[in-house]
Amino acid sequence: MELPKLNFQETFDFKFKKDKDKFFIYDLVRKTYLLLTPEEWVRQHWVHYYLTVKSYSTSALITEKKIVLNGLTKRIDLLITEKAQPKILIECKAPHIKLTEKTFEQTARYNSVIGASEIILTNGLQHINAYYENGQYQFYRPE
């Protein structure tokens, strides 16, 4: 399986397995193998980044959490918490998906339910970071 090199300075130690003609990647948060989709490839980079680079515990990371938005059930990709409070909402797209104002608005709508102080919209190649302050998003480039 050909996986694109994503825009992370670090390299992570992923565990893979193959069953029949499908590939799976081990999720350190859920402690199970998940089907390796392009979006999952991106999410697992962020999971490893927050666990190894930022030294968060696995209990501070929440993946695939269900939320209800305008009566519809949605799932957020990754939520980083501190002291059980939402801190960073990360919405992952496949590397071939272009990040647009529309995809950012989707993430902002999800965050209207979650209430994180920061959001990251990413396709693994490009990352859009924004803080939520005084009722609006302030975009920034991380150091």
Side-chain angles (χ1 to χ4, degrees):
M1 173 175 232
E2 194 64 36
L3 296 168
K5 169 89 175 92
L6 300 184
N7 187 12
F8 285 80
Q9 291 180 333
E10 305 78 14
T11 52
F12 303 112
D13 187 20
F14 298 108
K15 284 198 265 180
F16 301 98
K17 77 174 186 180
K18 185 178 178 186
D19 185 19
K20 296 185 175 89
D21 59 344
K22 292 192 165 110
F23 288 89
F24 297 83
I25 188 166
Y26 189 76
D27 183 338
L28 296 168
V29 175
R30 290 179 269 187
K31 296 179 176 41
T32 189
Y33 281 91
L34 303 171
L35 183 63
L36 181 54
T37 63
E39 183 180 304
E40 195 61 51
W41 179 234
V42 174
R43 179 185 5 243
Q44 290 305 317
H45 274 75
W46 285 99
V47 166
H48 281 253
Y49 174 79
Y50 277 98
L51 293 175
T52 60
V53 178
K54 294 295 193 179
S55 301
Y56 278 78
S57 69
T58 54
S59 63
L61 278 64
I62 300 170
T63 57
E64 296 271 307
K65 177 180 170 60
K66 284 185 185 176
I67 62 168
V68 176
L69 180 66
N70 299 328
L72 298 172
T73 301
K74 304 286 185 182
R75 287 181 194 268
I76 60 168
D77 290 321
L78 179 59
L79 179 63
I80 311 301
T81 64
E82 275 187 9
K83 298 184 176 100
Q85 295 302 308
K87 180 174 167 64
I88 306 166
L89 174 61
I90 302 170
E91 178 66 22
C92 303
K93 300 294 182 193
H96 68 275
I97 301 293
K98 195 168 187 233
L99 303 184
T100 63
E101 193 173 326
K102 187 177 175 187
T103 52
F104 182 82
E105 287 169 358
Q106 172 197 2
T107 310
R109 278 193 303 279
Y110 289 0
N111 197 41
S112 71
V113 175
I114 298 295
S117 56
E118 183 179 348
I119 62 176
I120 299 171
L121 172 60
T122 178
N123 63 9
L125 303 171
Q126 179 187 9
H127 318 299
I128 298 173
N129 302 64
Y131 285 113
Y132 188 70
E133 295 174 328
N134 304 321
Q136 61 185 5
Y137 285 98
Q138 302 293 325
F139 295 92
Y140 73 94
R141 289 202 182 280
E143 278 94 56

